[in-house]
Amino acid sequence: MPDVECLVECANILGEGPIWHPKERALYWCDNLKPSVQRYDPATGEATIWPLDKQVGSIVFRESGGIVAGMECGFCFIDLETGGIESIVDPEAGIAGNRLNDGKCDRAGRYWCGSMDAALKDPTAALYRLDTDLSCHRM
């Protein structure tokens, strides 16, 4: 059995969506229920937390720098320097209680992200694709 070691005592409530940043050689993830983006640098052991004022389910990196996130308010740009959140599109603005959740980029740079009913009661979820031109498609 392999040894398991906790690298970051981050006290996440719902830590999810880990993603490796190859240029920074660091691991990022988000905590949906204590909204934040977090980063761990294995070279230094340093952990960084950027608190947010909206729930975030997943993040992806932009080729030009920065982050795109699937959030309770739809697809957004997040500026970690300022904590600013800029809306791109909210594909489920009319569905109360739904939010974007898990997502990843494909090789073409498209961000695929699923939605969910936060109360886990209604089957209203869908899968969305955010293209590189920022057009959003329900799949």
Side-chain angles (χ1 to χ4, degrees), residues 1-136:
M1 186 113 161
D3 290 334
V4 176
E5 176 184 350
C6 179
L7 298 175
V8 180
E9 290 289 344
C10 54
N12 285 172
I13 296 172
L14 181 57
E16 61 182 346
I19 183 171
W20 181 255
H21 195 298
K23 290 180 183 168
E24 294 181 16
R25 301 186 53 79
L27 181 68
Y28 283 74
W29 68 96
C30 50
D31 186 339
N32 188 294
L33 299 180
K34 187 170 67 175
S36 60
V37 172
Q38 301 183 36
R39 178 183 185 271
Y40 173 70
D41 182 341
T44 65
E46 181 181 359
T48 307
I49 299 174
W50 293 276
L52 300 171
D53 63 358
K54 301 215 183 295
Q55 289 182 326
V56 56
S58 60
I59 59 172
V60 296
F61 302 115
R62 298 175 67 196
E63 212 172 74
S64 60
I67 289 177
V68 177
M71 305 184 73
E72 68 177 283
C73 53
F75 289 103
C76 300
F77 295 121
I78 297 178
D79 183 334
L80 294 179
E81 297 293 319
T82 67
I85 298 171
E86 178 186 344
S87 179
I88 299 169
V89 62
D90 186 353
E92 297 198 340
I95 305 174
N98 273 27
R99 64 175 168 83
L100 294 182
N101 194 38
D102 293 322
K104 295 291 182 191
C105 265
D106 66 16
R107 292 179 2 172
R110 301 172 301 186
Y111 186 9
W112 294 75
C113 193
S115 67
M116 67 174 285
D117 166 35
L120 303 175
K121 294 186 187 244
D122 294 320
T124 55
L127 178 64
Y128 296 94
R129 189 187 74 216
L130 183 69
D131 289 352
T132 58
D133 66 359
L134 303 182
S135 62
C136 183

